[in-house]
Amino acid sequence: MSVSDRIEKLLIKAEIGEPLSRDEIIELLKMPGDSVRDLFASADRVRQREVGDEIFLRGIIEFSNHCERNCLYCGLRKSNAKLSRYRMSDDEIIATAEHIKKTGIPTIVLQSGEDSFYKTDSICRLIERIKTETDAVITLSIGERNLDDYRSFQQSGTNRYLLKHETSSPELYQYLRPGCRLNERMQSLRRLKELGFETGTGNMVGLPGQTWDILADDLLVMKILDADMLGIGPFIPHPDTPLTGIENDDIELTLRVLALARLLTQNTNIPATTALATLHRQGRLLALQAGANVVMPDFTPDIYKSRYDIYPGKSDTGAARNIIEKLKADIHSLNRTINFSAGKRPGKHFPEIIH
Ligand code: 5AD
Ligand code: SF4
């Protein structure tokens, strides 16, 4: 069988929802460049069939850039003394949440570094206030906490939780996130899922030491967790971290991983990540044509935005208003529309193959 026939066969198998083996995932990840259009087209069809043509928006508020972790890849790491740290006041956060609501976006993502300044109780009071004032669907993205904390967040009205597994290799994870363990991350993710949160995970593509096997396992982790949301972005080296100087300027591999995530998980919500938009002028649009169906504009007030410096160039992607305006024009050209509703993960349209 020729390579292109083999790829075609695997894509059909994936498109109808049949599980792929690790070796088959690796084959697709490594496919020759002239078949990549078929991969993206296949992912785009599954996206259309399972989650529709509409693009869902989530408004992000990066409310604190303090972080007690020292991840080798991240500009917010504790040892980065060059970063000017901030915490938004509760009133500033509420005002930003109201601004998001006024633009018609009914889902708010509260994101921060791992900052124990915020005790569980104060997060819960904040969530309750946002709920009362805006009635928005709330997503938390504040790192690992314990089971009781997750329960309290849920009781206070939190609907969704994002916790990227970052990499499926326990060794690489431990190296990149000193003092952290992948199995603890996975346990948190399983707990969040069991509690009934819509749960998000995801990875970075292009990390030093990352292999095809690890990337395939990243995709299998997303599938096995039955995650509802998947954040997949390129690793972008930050000058004030130990990983400065490592090259990763190509978004195609990230798009391949994203397309495969769509094929493997079918009805998940997958954002066109800011990291993709940062690395490539058309990154967001390309992702929306390779399986993505969500965009997450950043509403963090300008005085803070540039200080949420996870990777270089992030805040150059523009103000939320401009992102939405540009998006409206872009998606018009794709014959797609923005959906201003909360966009919960839908049920499967296509029956899973029973073996
Ligand atoms: N490049 C791309 N993404 C990064 N993140 C952190 N550092 C980088 C980087 N250098 C992502 C991680 C993490 C989130 C805070 O940002 O995936 O989950
Ligand atoms: Fe902190 Fe998250 Fe950055 Fe790690 S990736 S340093 S936990 S903000």
Side-chain angles (χ1 to χ4, degrees), residues 29 57 65 104 109 120 290 300:
L29 280 171
L57 303 178
N65 70 350
V109 182
T120 306
T300 308

Side-chain angles (χ1 to χ4, degrees), residues 67 69-71 73-74 76-77 112-114 166 177 308:
C67 190
R69 299 278 182 211
N70 225 357
C71 305
Y73 46 79
C74 177
L76 304 195
R77 66 198 307 268
S112 70
E114 294 212 2
E166 314 290 2
R177 300 177 57 88
Y308 207 83

Side-chain angles (χ1 to χ4, degrees), residues 94-320:
I94 303 283
T96 312
E98 281 173 341
H99 177 207
I100 294 174
K101 188 73 185 192
K102 272 202 202 98
T103 64
I105 300 179
T107 64
I108 293 169
V109 182
L110 288 171
Q111 197 155 54
S112 70
E114 294 212 2
D115 184 2
S116 62
F117 169 87
Y118 296 93
K119 304 282 172 266
T120 306
D121 227 38
S122 52
I123 302 265
C124 289
R125 298 297 82 79
L126 179 65
I127 303 283
E128 283 160 8
R129 267 189 75 186
I130 298 178
K131 277 280 187 195
T132 312
E133 314 250 335
T134 68
D135 199 30
V137 167
I138 309 278
T139 304
L140 271 183
S141 175
I142 59 171
E144 273 172 63
R145 297 263 173 152
N146 64 38
L147 180 59
D148 285 340
D149 294 346
Y150 298 144
R151 280 206 185 100
S152 305
F153 297 149
Q154 192 167 46
Q155 276 155 17
S156 70
T158 307
N159 311 84
R160 302 174 178 169
Y161 207 101
L162 301 180
L163 194 68
K164 290 172 72 171
H165 71 273
E166 314 290 2
T167 175
S168 58
S169 156
E171 296 80 20
L172 190 56
Y173 186 92
Q174 220 172 307
Y175 165 70
L176 293 172
R177 300 177 57 88
C180 303
R181 293 299 180 115
L182 181 61
N183 61 16
E184 288 169 12
R185 193 76 158 186
M186 296 300 291
Q187 187 181 44
S188 269
L189 282 161
R190 283 189 294 267
R191 284 176 167 169
L192 289 162
K193 219 20 227 187
E194 275 163 28
L195 285 171
F197 282 100
E198 276 198 86
T199 304
T201 195
N203 67 339
M204 278 176 284
V205 179
L207 289 167
Q210 191 169 58
T211 60
W212 296 112
D213 283 11
I214 293 174
L215 277 178
D217 285 347
D218 279 341
L219 287 158
L220 289 168
V221 161
M222 297 172 196
K223 171 85 182 160
I224 287 159
L225 277 170
D226 191 22
D228 305 289
M229 306 171 283
L230 304 173
I232 297 160
F235 158 67
I236 305 175
H238 189 296
D240 303 320
T241 66
L243 301 187
T244 180
I246 287 174
E247 294 266 317
N248 188 37
D249 50 10
D250 175 23
I251 65 162
E252 199 199 273
L253 183 57
T254 307
L255 292 173
R256 288 183 187 214
V257 174
L258 191 152
L260 274 165
R262 170 61 68 204
L263 288 173
L264 287 167
T265 65
Q266 306 254 312
N267 62 344
T268 46
N269 280 316
I270 305 184
T273 47
T274 307
L276 268 165
T278 302
L279 215 51
H280 191 290
R281 211 168 37 85
Q282 299 276 50
R284 202 170 264 130
L285 201 57
L286 293 168
L288 291 171
Q289 296 170 89
N293 70 319
V294 171
V295 173
M296 302 171 75
D298 185 356
F299 283 83
T300 308
D302 285 342
I303 43 165
Y304 301 122
K305 194 182 241 176
S306 62
R307 290 148 78 185
Y308 207 83
D309 184 27
I310 303 177
Y311 46 78
K314 175 176 160 287
S315 52
D316 304 345
T317 46

